[in-house]
Amino acid sequence: MIFLLLGVLALVVGGCVCVVWAERGGPRWVRVVAVLTRGAGELVSSAQKSGRKSGWGSRGDDGDD
């Protein structure tokens, strides 16, 4: 399990590096990875926003009455 988490962390850090490098005019493959990283970030962000609207993960509705 720890190796899976480390792998995800390495992908996230590598994606962030590619985004910064692409902003400075890196090679084409870096720009492709940057676009994919930004797209994944938008997906996660929209999933969190829709989860908040439906009450998923909200702190006020934990069922402790």
Side-chain angles (χ1 to χ4, degrees), residues 28-58:
R28 183 175 181 173
W29 69 269
V30 171
R31 292 190 298 264
V32 170
V33 172
V35 167
L36 292 174
T37 302
R38 287 181 179 158
E42 289 293 325
L43 257 171
V44 170
S45 178
S46 66
Q48 286 178 342
K49 287 178 185 175
S50 68
R52 287 185 193 137
K53 289 179 185 174
S54 67
W56 176 75
S58 63

